[in-house]
Amino acid sequence: MDGAPSFEPEFREQLLDLFVWRRDVRRFRRDPLPEGALERLIGIAALSPSVGLSEPWRFVLVESPEVRAKIRANFEAANAEALSAQNEDRAGLYARLKLAGLDDAPVQFALFADRGTLQGHGLGRLTMPRTIDYSAVMALHTLWLAARAEGIGLGWVSILDPEAASRTLDAAPGWELIGYFCLGWPVADDWKPALERQAWEQRRAPASTIHRR
């Protein structure tokens, strides 16, 4: 590739639109994705930065109905526990939230960080070993944006027992579960987060997250 590309204002405006319209999708159509779409998106995710060039991301594609059923049961148990932990004012709202697309999403996968990888020769993670996990998260976010640019939605299922999920997915020793994800065509698009639309929480003003020392 000869020379660095120039990203013009029009491109930067479109990139901002991508950030604004990226959503955590919970409602999917059951239509399948084009053949090879997931593998292509994972290829884009592999362009992400990683500590020491370790590339620790490990994608586990979950295609077996039996394995999906076990993940679904894991979610149901964890979700029931989370509901019981809500206070009286929040419990009713929590129960009405749509928190996973496990029944409809045509593609499901888990992302692990291989904490034992020898790639990268340990560079950059002696004092901050969790940078291995952060690197995998960077890959996931890259995939998320690439998918949204094609009109494909991603949903993060974080209400799970991670140890049970890792056993269900027969994760290799040293693999840390980053998350379980649903991928497919969203029923609808929206620029505003669903949890904001449903009055669960409001976004902060960006300036409120800045601290100076």
Side-chain angles (χ1 to χ4, degrees):
M1 188 177 296
D2 297 327
S6 176
F7 300 111
E8 302 300 328
E10 182 180 3
F11 171 84
R12 296 198 295 271
E13 290 176 9
Q14 291 180 322
L15 183 60
L16 178 58
D17 285 340
L18 177 61
F19 295 153
V20 169
W21 281 87
R22 181 217 54 81
R23 294 274 64 82
D24 193 354
V25 176
R26 295 289 181 253
R27 301 181 187 278
F28 294 91
R29 306 194 324 248
R30 295 193 175 187
D31 314 50
L33 294 181
E35 185 175 354
L38 176 58
E39 291 78 6
R40 180 169 42 75
L41 290 171
I42 290 174
I44 296 172
L47 298 173
S48 300
S50 61
V51 62
L53 199 57
S54 56
E55 299 180 309
W57 39 80
R58 306 289 182 262
F59 292 87
V60 176
L61 312 189
V62 183
E63 300 169 334
S64 160
E66 293 77 15
V67 175
R68 287 189 177 194
K70 290 180 181 179
I71 293 294
R72 184 72 169 83
N74 184 331
F75 165 77
E76 289 175 350
N79 195 43
E81 183 177 354
L83 174 60
S84 68
Q86 300 298 316
N87 62 39
E88 186 176 348
D89 294 336
R90 283 277 175 177
L93 178 55
Y94 183 94
R96 293 191 295 274
L97 295 175
K98 170 74 169 172
L99 296 175
L102 293 166
D103 294 331
D104 298 317
V107 174
Q108 297 181 26
F109 68 91
L111 174 62
F112 291 85
D114 183 359
R115 290 179 168 178
T117 182
L118 299 178
Q119 184 169 331
H121 307 285
L123 178 65
R125 49 188 159 110
L126 179 63
T127 54
M128 297 186 66
R130 290 190 66 186
T131 50
I132 281 286
D133 300 350
Y134 304 153
S135 298
V137 173
M138 291 285 286
L140 186 281
H141 191 241
T142 301
L143 185 152
W144 205 329
L145 293 173
R148 181 62 189 87
E150 297 183 21
I152 299 171
L154 184 80
W156 189 327
V157 185
S158 61
I159 305 174
L160 289 173
D161 177 336
E163 294 184 1
S166 294
R167 290 193 298 271
T168 295
L169 298 171
D170 194 23
W175 286 16
E176 180 71 12
L177 181 66
I178 298 301
Y180 191 91
F181 302 92
C182 295
L183 191 74
W185 303 112
V187 169
D189 294 313
D190 203 295
W191 64 270
K192 183 180 287 189
L195 294 180
E196 188 171 1
R197 298 197 308 271
Q198 296 171 48
W200 179 262
E201 187 55 275
Q202 299 296 310
R203 275 188 155 169
R204 294 183 180 186
S208 70
T209 66
I210 299 173
H211 304 272
R212 302 184 188 280
R213 299 289 186 267

